[in-house]
Amino acid sequence: MQEENFETNYLEDELELIPGLLEQKKFGEIKRILDDTNVADVAAYFEDEDEVSEKDLPVLYRLLGKEEAAEVFARLDSDTQSTLINILTDKELQQVLDDLFLDDTVDMIEEMPANVVARILRNTDAKTRYQINELLKYPDDSAGSMMTVEYVNIKKDMSVVEAISRVRKMAENSETINTIYVTENRKLIGICTIKELLIAENEDRIEDIMETNIITISTTDDQEDVAKMFNKYGFLAFPVVDKEERLVGIITVDDAMEVLQDENTEDITKMAAITSAEDTYFKTSTFSHAKNRIVWLLVLMLSSTLTGTIITKYEDAFAVVPLLVSFIPMLMDTGGNCGSQSSTLIIRGIALDEIEFGDIFKVIFKEFRVAILVGAVLAVVNGLRIYIMYDSMQMAIVVACSLVMTVIMAKLIGGVLPLLSKKMGLDPALMAAPLITTVVDTCSILIYFRIATEFFHIAS
Amino acid sequence: MQEENFETNYLEDELELIPGLLEQKKFGEIKRILDDTNVADVAAYFEDEDEVSEKDLPVLYRLLGKEEAAEVFARLDSDTQSTLINILTDKELQQVLDDLFLDDTVDMIEEMPANVVARILRNTDAKTRYQINELLKYPDDSAGSMMTVEYVNIKKDMSVVEAISRVRKMAENSETINTIYVTENRKLIGICTIKELLIAENEDRIEDIMETNIITISTTDDQEDVAKMFNKYGFLAFPVVDKEERLVGIITVDDAMEVLQDENTEDITKMAAITSAEDTYFKTSTFSHAKNRIVWLLVLMLSSTLTGTIITKYEDAFAVVPLLVSFIPMLMDTGGNCGSQSSTLIIRGIALDEIEFGDIFKVIFKEFRVAILVGAVLAVVNGLRIYIMYDSMQMAIVVACSLVMTVIMAKLIGGVLPLLSKKMGLDPALMAAPLITTVVDTCSILIYFRIATEFFHIAS
């Protein structure tokens, strides 16, 4: 991704003029509007099928300046990229591939069908093709697949003025010049920010100003951990090294932000019991939407039949006291809500590295105290309501006692289960929804009928 | 925040040596370890009360180098900052305040009790105090409160070599030099990245290389929108201007990442019906935890009594067919899960600007089709199960029909409600959990008993 392009302001009104100008074939005017619009906005405009038809897309794309074309291309979604590639001539495609940064090329290739990939590789030179193939070898979620190989490296015996001059020469083809890497026999021996370089005296030697305690990322690191490191250290780029500590690439902050956003979406959807989709809501087909949702719905549905079976066992109880049935939804809902409140806080804490398995007893103790407070308030409010509405002190006491116990049970389960799943190497967000709902539902019904049969002296 | 400091590698083992070294009073060795550790890790170590006692904190802090001290201080949480401020002498405090960037000072002041704030302001010079007061005037969630005033500005008639020399002079006291701002009478007339500056020829004039179509942020913009702009454009900093288009500060990407993380946490907790806390899980007191959770629990509890009341109305129905009660949990759970799946996807889509109110009919159509597919599968699976388990074709049909209708109803409500709340200026994430649960629960019970009484010819 380009990280330093303050091209233009977003003039939405101007983009809206384009269809009219196309009809009048006023291409010069369109070119001016596209030049004046930021590449991110041009890309968003091209992607919008309501705005730009497939027929007009190549016409508009060819009106872009050479550099702008590559930047817009890098930001398009894979559908639009693939439409464009099919239209471009080999020469035009070569031009785009030349101007793209390698990480963007690799991102694109990963999404394309085989025949398009073949055409892309045919149109890159041997060295680039080699680099692309190397990058494609890294697993999808690894640091290796996020990195780019276009960075500035210098030698430790250079003077500051020599280093600045090298940076100036290499800047154009580097994704970032914010950090400059000092290498020796391909090994990373030091780093130096552009700011440090510019602050130093002309005659200073790199060796003396470079930082040698370096935080590096390994090619095999998980991309989520990488994103967290950006958050923690506030750096703009991290060097990526292989097993022999050789510098193989860099990862920049913009790519980390994307990963962070994607991971957050994944966590959020998982907690709502949805297999997360790769695409946006509208780009995901109806069938995929259904598929992503049905698995957990089936699991949850069958597990809630367990609750139903338990209820059936107590048929005699509610034959004697039919009012008992009325409070089932309230108890189950409250239990479920309490459980998901706790599990959500713990899952988020785990994701942000604030809570780990070793804290499990601290969590239990905290949730227990919270549950006592919450349960007491809910029990009093509901007990009073039932006493007033149904004039039954007995019923009020049964429901109030069940509520307190349900809340405690739900909060403990909600607090402990995510930590246990993490410990067992399972994804806490994924396990939370189905397991907690099932366990909490079952337990709340058991608690309720146990207390009720005791209290009303009903044989079960 | 510092954004360009690759200080050291994280040597956790070394930090663990500190307590022993403290006992032996080997301060030189401790100083070396602290110097070799990245400031983010030192800050995390200082914050951990299990590691560093309140007694040792000032000792360790005073062993930090001058520059490192300010950077560590900026990264500490407000509790630890306030502990430190109470211990530091006026002279030490002045030193810290001198070295902090203004946005960090303001962030800190916002969290401190009044007497500490008074002491801080007493120890800053008049100009800084004025700037702090100006920054404090901006609302908490505004771009103004995120920005810093330490940036590099140049004039349009400078040559590239003059500009570079100015950047080198100003770098030390600027939060970032990645983007350089061209101003005239305090108005922002152009920008230029350090990369562009270094690529340009020495004799080029700034006027000719600067970008004049600038994307700016207004001091009153919402910080969530600001964070989204970083995501969209991939920039490292945005200029902030006032109503008269005068440059008043800049916002850097690290601050945007923090906002993004916080907003995500807020959305996630809201969806689980929790008022989000300012602090981490463990730093939030038991009482605050209970308070943050109780409001929605009460609302949800009372609303689910509505469902209970409806059930009571159908007492006669389940007196005749007691088995009816067994399927209540399953229907309510499935309805709730379907609704929250849809609302989660729509809320996330709204947060990422992928879905807007104008798409409401597209959403309805999509959710309807998904619901038909999902409902059919669930109905068949459950119908078969009931037929096999209870040998009752009638019951199987009643539950299957209720399921299909419940799923459709839940998915439409889950899809539409977030968009409606957005349209009415309400927070979709906040409205989702309570409203959708209540509406979906009520409707699913009504659908179920309506179908059942029809089918079993029970008068209600």
Side-chain angles (χ1 to χ4, degrees):
Chain A
M1 297 283 144
Q2 296 301 102
E3 51 171 36
E4 293 176 329
N5 264 290
F6 297 84
E7 301 270 294
T8 51
N9 210 331
Y10 188 15
L11 305 163
E12 208 168 0
D13 307 332
E14 284 217 310
L15 285 176
E16 278 171 18
L17 299 174
I18 288 183
L21 292 169
L22 264 176
E23 245 169 67
Q24 302 164 48
K25 298 197 189 300
K26 291 200 175 160
F27 298 120
E29 183 60 12
I30 297 175
K31 192 173 165 49
R32 189 199 57 74
I33 293 174
L34 291 176
D35 278 352
D36 279 1
T37 309
N38 184 280
V39 286
D41 293 316
V42 174
Y45 178 70
F46 281 8
E47 279 174 14
D48 192 340
E49 286 159 28
D50 297 340
E51 298 280 353
V52 177
S53 70
E54 212 167 300
K55 183 175 69 65
D56 291 337
L57 182 61
V59 181
L60 293 179
Y61 185 77
R62 285 178 177 130
L63 287 173
L64 292 172
K66 172 182 161 313
E67 239 178 81
E68 217 182 0
E71 284 171 33
V72 168
F73 190 88
R75 285 157 189 266
L76 291 173
D77 58 31
S78 51
D79 287 353
T80 319
Q81 282 181 336
S82 130
T83 310
L84 260 180
I85 291 178
N86 286 325
I87 293 160
L88 294 181
T89 65
D90 275 5
K91 208 178 145 219
E92 285 172 322
L93 182 59
Q94 272 169 35
Q95 183 67 63
V96 171
L97 293 169
D98 262 11
D99 291 340
L100 280 181
F101 285 113
L102 264 185
D103 55 344
D104 293 326
T105 310
V106 171
D107 282 352
M108 172 184 72
I109 286 180
E110 281 171 338
E111 301 293 326
M112 292 291 145
N115 61 328
V116 178
V117 173
R119 187 162 166 237
I120 291 171
L121 290 179
R122 224 173 29 240
N123 281 291
T124 49
D125 58 75
K127 189 187 156 208
T128 313
R129 196 157 54 235
Y130 173 79
Q131 288 175 323
I132 290 173
N133 281 323
E134 287 301 300
L135 289 176
L136 281 173
K137 281 182 199 156
Y138 295 109
D140 231 17
D141 287 347
S142 71
S145 76
M146 287 172 79
M147 72 185 185
T148 188
V149 295
E150 286 125 334
Y151 52 84
V152 183
N153 61 335
I154 54 177
K155 299 289 162 209
K156 66 172 182 186
D157 46 15
M158 282 179 171
S159 69
V160 164
V161 74
E162 283 170 333
I164 292 179
S165 134
R166 180 169 165 84
V167 171
R168 293 183 72 167
K169 241 180 288 167
M170 292 187 69
E172 190 127 32
N173 289 315
S174 300
E175 181 155 350
T176 176
I177 58 161
N178 296 313
T179 316
I180 296 131
Y181 302 89
V182 189
T183 54
E184 193 169 57
N185 300 324
R186 298 192 53 204
K187 286 217 165 109
L188 180 66
I189 57 167
I191 51 176
C192 181
T193 66
I194 185 76
K195 193 168 158 181
E196 284 160 359
L197 200 61
L198 289 176
I199 291 173
E201 300 295 326
N202 278 338
E203 319 70 50
D204 288 349
R205 302 209 78 70
I206 294 303
E207 204 168 3
D208 302 323
I209 66 161
M210 72 186 187
E211 185 58 60
T212 52
N213 283 308
I214 313 160
I215 300 179
T216 57
I217 285 172
S218 151
T219 50
T220 52
D221 283 352
D222 184 79
Q223 60 175 7
E224 196 173 355
D225 296 333
V226 171
K228 276 187 203 162
M229 286 179 70
F230 277 92
N231 237 354
K232 178 172 180 190
Y233 292 100
F235 294 166
L236 297 177
F238 276 100
V240 184
V241 297
D242 64 12
K243 275 176 205 140
E244 282 82 38
E245 294 289 313
R246 284 178 306 215
L247 181 64
V248 289
I250 60 167
I251 297 179
T252 49
V253 65
D254 52 334
D255 296 320
M257 280 185 90
E258 261 174 52
V259 170
L260 213 59
Q261 198 67 276
D262 287 350
E263 299 282 348
N264 278 321
T265 301
E266 224 182 285
D267 273 3
I268 290 174
T269 48
K270 268 186 213 151
M271 281 190 233
I274 312 169
T275 312
S276 53
E278 294 278 308
D279 253 323
T280 63
Y281 177 79
F282 287 119
K283 296 229 166 190
T284 307
S285 71
T286 302
F287 186 74
S288 303
H289 267 300
K291 208 184 63 188
N292 290 338
R293 303 186 200 179
I294 195 92
V295 181
W296 282 124
L297 285 178
L298 274 173
V299 173
L300 290 169
M301 186 181 78
L302 294 178
S303 82
S304 65
T305 60
L306 185 66
T307 328
T309 316
I310 296 171
I311 294 179
T312 313
K313 268 189 57 187
Y314 287 99
E315 253 176 34
D316 298 341
F318 60 79
V320 180
V321 192
L323 193 56
L324 275 178
V325 179
S326 304
F327 304 110
I328 293 179
M330 191 273 295
L331 275 169
M332 278 179 50
D333 278 355
T334 306
N337 290 328
C338 285
S340 75
Q341 284 184 334
S342 305
S343 64
T344 301
L345 287 175
I346 302 299
I347 290 168
R348 190 65 186 163
I350 294 173
L352 298 181
D353 285 335
E354 292 168 1
I355 302 176
E356 50 190 44
F357 185 73
D359 299 321
I360 192 160
F361 292 108
K362 273 166 79 184
V363 168
I364 290 176
F365 186 50
K366 188 124 204 169
E367 286 301 312
F368 184 71
R369 283 178 298 166
V370 174
I372 298 274
L373 276 178
V374 169
V377 175
L378 294 181
V380 168
V381 172
N382 219 342
L384 277 177
R385 183 190 70 91
I386 292 170
Y387 182 63
I388 294 166
M389 273 178 75
Y390 300 97
D391 196 21
S392 161
M393 179 58 100
Q394 278 189 315
M395 202 61 189
I397 292 175
V398 167
V399 172
C401 290
S402 306
L403 252 179
V404 174
M405 290 190 60
T406 299
V407 171
I408 294 174
M409 175 272 303
K411 292 231 167 276
L412 291 182
I413 291 173
V416 168
L417 267 190
L419 286 168
L420 284 180
S421 17
K422 176 81 185 171
K423 183 73 178 173
M424 293 188 294
L426 302 169
D427 183 334
L430 197 61
M431 297 308 298
L435 250 177
I436 291 172
T437 312
T438 312
V439 179
V440 167
D441 274 6
T442 314
C443 292
S444 58
I445 292 293
L446 279 175
I447 290 172
Y448 179 47
F449 279 108
R450 191 87 202 79
I451 293 179
T453 47
E454 259 333 296
F455 211 87
F456 290 110
H457 307 293
I458 307 166
S460 68
Chain B
M1 297 282 146
Q2 295 301 104
E3 52 171 37
E4 294 175 326
N5 264 289
F6 299 84
E7 300 270 295
T8 52
N9 209 332
Y10 188 14
L11 305 164
E12 205 168 1
D13 307 333
E14 284 218 312
L15 284 176
E16 279 171 16
L17 300 174
I18 288 183
L21 292 170
L22 264 175
E23 244 170 68
Q24 302 164 48
K25 298 197 190 298
K26 291 196 176 162
F27 298 119
E29 183 60 11
I30 297 174
K31 191 173 168 46
R32 190 199 56 75
I33 294 174
L34 291 176
D35 277 352
D36 280 359
T37 310
N38 183 279
V39 287
D41 293 315
V42 173
Y45 179 71
F46 281 7
E47 278 175 15
D48 191 341
E49 285 160 27
D50 297 339
E51 299 279 353
V52 177
S53 70
E54 210 166 304
K55 182 175 69 63
D56 292 337
L57 183 61
V59 182
L60 292 179
Y61 185 77
R62 286 179 176 128
L63 288 173
L64 291 173
K66 168 181 162 320
E67 238 178 82
E68 217 181 359
E71 285 172 32
V72 168
F73 189 89
R75 285 157 190 267
L76 291 173
D77 58 31
S78 51
D79 287 353
T80 319
Q81 281 181 337
S82 127
T83 310
L84 260 179
I85 291 178
N86 286 326
I87 293 160
L88 295 181
T89 65
D90 274 4
K91 206 173 149 226
E92 285 171 320
L93 181 59
Q94 269 168 36
Q95 183 67 65
V96 172
L97 292 170
D98 261 11
D99 291 338
L100 280 182
F101 285 113
L102 264 185
D103 55 343
D104 294 326
T105 311
V106 170
D107 282 352
M108 173 183 76
I109 285 179
E110 281 171 338
E111 300 293 325
M112 294 290 146
N115 61 329
V116 179
V117 173
R119 190 164 163 236
I120 291 171
L121 291 178
R122 220 170 34 237
N123 282 290
T124 48
D125 57 74
K127 189 188 156 207
T128 313
R129 197 159 52 236
Y130 174 77
Q131 288 175 323
I132 291 173
N133 281 324
E134 286 301 301
L135 288 176
L136 281 173
K137 280 182 200 156
Y138 295 108
D140 231 14
D141 288 346
S142 70
S145 76
M146 287 172 80
M147 73 185 184
T148 188
V149 294
E150 286 124 335
Y151 53 84
V152 183
N153 62 334
I154 54 177
K155 300 288 160 209
K156 66 173 182 184
D157 45 16
M158 283 180 172
S159 68
V160 164
V161 74
E162 283 169 335
I164 292 180
S165 134
R166 179 167 166 88
V167 171
R168 292 183 72 166
K169 240 182 287 166
M170 290 187 72
E172 191 127 34
N173 290 316
S174 299
E175 181 156 351
T176 177
I177 58 160
N178 296 312
T179 315
I180 296 131
Y181 302 89
V182 190
T183 53
E184 193 170 58
N185 300 325
R186 296 191 57 204
K187 285 218 166 102
L188 180 64
I189 57 166
I191 52 175
C192 181
T193 66
I194 184 76
K195 193 167 158 182
E196 284 161 357
L197 200 60
L198 289 176
I199 291 173
E201 301 295 328
N202 278 337
E203 319 69 51
D204 288 350
R205 301 209 79 70
I206 294 304
E207 202 168 1
D208 301 322
I209 65 161
M210 73 185 187
E211 183 58 59
T212 52
N213 281 309
I214 314 159
I215 300 179
T216 56
I217 285 171
S218 150
T219 50
T220 52
D221 282 352
D222 183 78
Q223 59 176 7
E224 196 174 355
D225 295 332
V226 171
K228 276 188 203 162
M229 286 179 71
F230 277 93
N231 238 354
K232 177 171 180 191
Y233 292 101
F235 295 166
L236 297 177
F238 275 100
V240 185
V241 296
D242 64 11
K243 275 179 207 139
E244 282 82 39
E245 294 290 311
R246 284 178 306 216
L247 181 64
V248 289
I250 60 167
I251 297 180
T252 49
V253 65
D254 53 332
D255 297 320
M257 280 185 88
E258 260 173 53
V259 169
L260 213 57
Q261 198 67 276
D262 288 350
E263 298 282 349
N264 277 321
T265 301
E266 225 182 284
D267 272 2
I268 290 174
T269 49
K270 267 186 215 152
M271 281 191 234
I274 311 168
T275 312
S276 54
E278 293 279 306
D279 252 323
T280 63
Y281 177 80
F282 287 120
K283 296 231 164 184
T284 307
S285 72
T286 303
F287 187 73
S288 302
H289 267 299
K291 207 184 62 189
N292 290 339
R293 304 185 199 179
I294 196 90
V295 181
W296 282 124
L297 285 178
L298 274 174
V299 173
L300 290 169
M301 188 181 76
L302 294 179
S303 82
S304 64
T305 60
L306 185 66
T307 327
T309 316
I310 295 171
I311 294 180
T312 314
K313 267 190 56 188
Y314 286 97
E315 252 175 35
D316 300 339
F318 59 79
V320 180
V321 191
L323 193 56
L324 275 178
V325 179
S326 304
F327 305 109
I328 292 179
M330 190 273 295
L331 275 169
M332 278 178 50
D333 278 356
T334 306
N337 290 327
C338 283
S340 75
Q341 284 184 333
S342 304
S343 64
T344 302
L345 287 175
I346 302 299
I347 290 168
R348 189 65 186 162
I350 293 174
L352 298 181
D353 284 335
E354 291 166 1
I355 303 176
E356 51 191 44
F357 185 72
D359 298 321
I360 193 160
F361 292 108
K362 274 166 79 184
V363 168
I364 291 176
F365 186 49
K366 188 124 203 167
E367 286 302 312
F368 183 72
R369 284 177 298 164
V370 175
I372 298 273
L373 276 177
V374 169
V377 175
L378 294 180
V380 169
V381 173
N382 219 342
L384 278 176
R385 184 190 71 89
I386 292 170
Y387 181 63
I388 294 166
M389 275 178 75
Y390 301 98
D391 196 22
S392 162
M393 179 59 99
Q394 278 190 313
M395 202 60 181
I397 292 174
V398 167
V399 173
C401 290
S402 306
L403 253 179
V404 174
M405 290 190 59
T406 299
V407 171
I408 294 175
M409 175 271 305
K411 292 230 166 276
L412 290 183
I413 291 174
V416 168
L417 268 189
L419 286 170
L420 283 180
S421 15
K422 175 80 186 174
K423 182 74 180 175
M424 293 188 296
L426 302 168
D427 184 335
L430 197 62
M431 297 310 296
L435 249 178
I436 290 172
T437 312
T438 312
V439 180
V440 168
D441 274 5
T442 315
C443 291
S444 58
I445 292 292
L446 280 175
I447 290 172
Y448 178 47
F449 278 108
R450 192 87 201 80
I451 293 179
T453 47
E454 239 6 272
F455 210 88
F456 290 110
H457 307 293
I458 307 163
S460 68

